[in-house]
Amino acid sequence: MTDTHLSDTTFSKFDLPEPVRQGIEEAGFTRCTHIQALALPIALAGRDVAGQAQTGTGKTAAFLIATFNRLLRHPPDPQRRPNQIRALILAPTRELAIQIHKDAVLLGKHTGLKLGLAYGGTDYDKQRQQLADGVDILIGTPGRIIDYFKQKVFDMKHVEVMVLDEADRMFDLGFIKDIRFLLRRMTPPAERQSMLFSATLSHRVMELAFEHMNDPEKVQTEDEQVTAERVRQVIYYPANPEKIPLLLGLLKRLGPSRSMVFVNTKHMADKLDAWLRGNGIKARVLSGDVPQQKRQRLLKQFEDNEFDVLVATDVAARGLHIPDVSHVFNFDLPQSGEDYVHRIGRTGRAGAEGDAISFACEASAFTLPEIEQYIGFKIDSEAIDRSLLVDPAPPAKREVRQPPGGRARGGRGDPSRRGGPPRRRRSG
């Protein structure tokens, strides 16, 4: 965390239980980020908070510290059964839920509080048994949590803290009915502490806050620019045939240490991956149909520098915490301003600097006015220096493996080859 990203407020200023203070110190935290300095005084006093801050600014630590404080200061009801959770933290994506749980393990390891994690795609019986055995804090995505709730694996009659992270994304992914289902079945707003965090506190987000929270106090960092200040943004206007030569030229000239390239469809992700590999660039694809265990393995390999470029569809734009991404490329411009913000938010995290480079080609330039209106300024454009356009080698051939006892995927009739835009997938 850079000094410019930190406030003058130190964690030592707050009256925190010793186990919480010990976790903060061992995590290496001394000074609060700006959103932490704004939200913690309110949350530690037991009041509800609706906070707006950019991605990567420390929201997770703010609500975890407040949650631990509340649960340690208020002993549980003696009548509470083990499978009755005390806190619920909801996230829109599996990756974000996993990251929150990871941070909770680090910050809360001295609290004695039991943590549970529930998300779709894997470990169904393992997660179910963990909840049946009893946890204090349940972290997860709405779909899997509702599944277990309806089976009566756990209940919410003793919920003391509710956290809704990235509330705007909950709307985008169609989770809002699920969120309301859960909120209506836990303790009433006046009997619990509620915290809501979002990159944008839109009217629909605040409507949800006032409906299901107890007079929440709204806080937001002073910088109202929705994209991180330290991310340099530039746009090129290539013809469609120039996009791959331009991307290869930029990767060669800039030499990014770790970069993400966003595209709008899985078909384009696979195509671009083949071009990159054919030109000597180690790349992998992360899209909506990648199984959860493989997704986690890919992300770990990316963090460990086993490959240089992660080609991703928008399913990966939110909730991923990948340190030290130096460059984000929008090979295809996204279809909305919100998607643009969350794509480029993968770089310039925690006060670091980063670069976001976008291509406005004939196929996607029409979305640029909406993006610039959303972020509140015009993105600087760069003329294409012809020396940047690399004459590419042919794309690598796609590796086709013959599954045991069946036809190889990727041939005619394979559903994965069907055209058309990808269907929006729910992450819970």
Side-chain angles (χ1 to χ4, degrees):
M1 196 77 71
T2 65
D3 285 347
T4 57
H5 205 63
L6 298 172
S7 71
D8 293 330
T9 303
T10 62
F11 286 102
S12 61
K13 171 185 175 182
F14 302 117
D15 179 22
L16 294 168
E18 185 55 34
V20 179
R21 188 177 301 284
Q22 192 173 353
I24 292 171
E25 290 175 356
E26 291 183 7
F29 298 160
T30 304
R31 288 161 56 193
C32 298
T33 65
H34 295 294
I35 189 61
Q36 291 165 356
L38 290 170
L40 279 173
I42 301 164
L44 294 176
R47 303 196 302 273
D48 288 6
V49 178
Q52 175 177 319
Q54 298 160 6
T55 183
T57 55
K59 302 190 302 291
T60 302
F63 65 68
L64 286 175
I65 290 168
T67 299
F68 296 149
N69 177 75
R70 171 82 177 210
L71 299 187
L72 293 180
R73 299 276 192 205
H74 297 80
D77 187 331
Q79 304 301 317
R80 169 183 169 265
R81 297 192 305 274
N83 72 332
Q84 293 180 311
I85 63 172
R86 299 181 65 194
L88 178 64
I89 300 174
L90 293 169
T93 65
R94 292 168 285 191
E95 288 78 16
L96 182 56
I98 291 167
Q99 183 61 45
I100 293 170
H101 182 267
K102 182 178 178 182
D103 292 343
V105 170
L106 175 65
L107 287 169
K109 67 178 180 179
H110 299 290
T111 63
L113 297 168
K114 293 183 180 179
L115 303 173
L117 181 60
Y119 57 89
T122 187
D123 293 338
Y124 187 89
D125 291 332
K126 179 181 177 182
Q127 294 175 13
R128 191 183 191 281
Q129 187 60 51
Q130 184 184 46
L131 293 187
D133 292 341
V135 301
D136 296 297
I137 302 171
L138 173 56
I139 302 163
T141 52
R144 178 62 65 90
I145 287 175
I146 288 177
D147 184 358
Y148 293 142
F149 176 78
K150 287 183 174 179
Q151 295 181 50
K152 302 188 186 323
V153 178
F154 74 98
D155 79 34
M156 298 184 287
K157 295 176 183 177
H158 287 263
V159 167
E160 301 168 54
V161 180
M162 184 282 295
V163 178
L164 189 59
D165 196 16
E166 295 208 354
D168 51 347
R169 189 58 166 169
M170 296 290 193
F171 280 94
D172 294 342
L173 292 174
F175 280 132
I176 203 59
K177 287 185 178 179
D178 291 345
I179 297 300
R180 287 196 161 100
F181 174 90
L182 291 167
L183 292 174
R184 288 168 180 157
R185 283 158 179 81
M186 63 179 65
T187 46
E191 297 177 18
R192 67 170 190 261
Q193 182 176 14
S194 301
M195 290 172 277
L196 176 153
F197 289 88
S198 183
T200 54
L201 288 178
S202 62
H203 173 75
R204 61 183 185 173
V205 171
M206 289 309 298
E207 183 179 51
L208 180 72
F210 286 118
E211 181 183 352
H212 293 284
M213 298 173 72
N214 183 26
D215 193 22
E217 187 166 340
K218 179 180 175 181
V219 296
Q220 64 184 79
T221 51
E222 288 184 8
D223 178 23
E224 295 183 359
Q225 182 176 316
V226 295
T227 55
E229 279 186 331
R230 301 174 72 85
V231 177
R232 293 174 291 268
Q233 300 172 58
V234 67
I235 193 157
Y236 290 91
Y237 293 88
N240 282 347
E242 294 176 328
K243 292 175 70 177
I244 287 173
L246 179 59
L247 177 63
L248 292 172
L250 287 168
L251 288 171
K252 181 179 179 181
R253 177 174 293 186
L254 298 173
S257 57
R258 185 179 294 158
S259 58
M260 296 184 70
V261 180
F262 283 101
V263 294
N264 289 343
T265 66
K266 180 184 183 299
H267 173 75
M268 180 53 72
D270 291 336
K271 180 179 177 181
L272 186 55
D273 172 56
W275 278 104
L276 291 171
R277 289 187 293 107
N279 284 269
I281 296 172
K282 295 180 181 178
R284 299 288 188 276
V285 171
L286 183 63
S287 57
D289 62 346
V290 176
Q292 182 63 28
Q293 289 185 345
K294 184 178 179 181
R295 289 164 66 87
Q296 291 175 237
R297 185 168 65 251
L298 273 176
L299 295 173
K300 180 67 165 58
Q301 291 171 341
F302 192 40
E303 288 188 31
D304 292 343
N305 297 314
E306 294 184 25
F307 59 92
D308 307 313
V309 178
L310 182 65
V311 181
T313 55
D314 278 309
V315 72
R318 287 259 197 161
L320 295 184
H321 176 73
I322 303 171
D324 304 325
V325 172
S326 62
H327 291 71
V328 165
F329 295 88
N330 286 307
F331 187 82
D332 298 325
L333 274 183
Q335 298 177 3
S336 73
E338 286 190 2
D339 284 338
Y340 176 83
V341 168
H342 294 295
R343 285 183 181 188
I344 74 169
R346 299 313 97 201
T347 188
R349 296 178 69 83
E353 293 187 347
D355 289 273
I357 300 168
S358 300
F359 296 173
C361 63
E362 300 106 301
S364 62
F366 69 93
T367 66
L368 183 59
E370 179 190 338
I371 290 170
E372 292 181 331
Q373 181 180 13
Y374 184 83
I375 64 177
F377 61 89
K378 189 173 180 63
I379 302 171
D380 291 337
S381 62
E382 287 277 352
I384 297 176
D385 181 346
R386 307 312 293 181
S387 66
L388 266 181
L389 301 179
V390 168
D391 186 16
K397 291 184 179 180
R398 183 180 178 189
E399 184 177 318
V400 179
R401 296 181 180 178
Q402 180 77 21
R407 293 175 55 186
R409 291 179 59 86
R412 177 175 291 182
D414 183 352
S416 68
R417 289 176 55 89
R418 292 173 187 165
R423 295 176 63 186
R424 174 164 285 178
R425 297 172 63 89
R426 289 173 57 152
S427 300

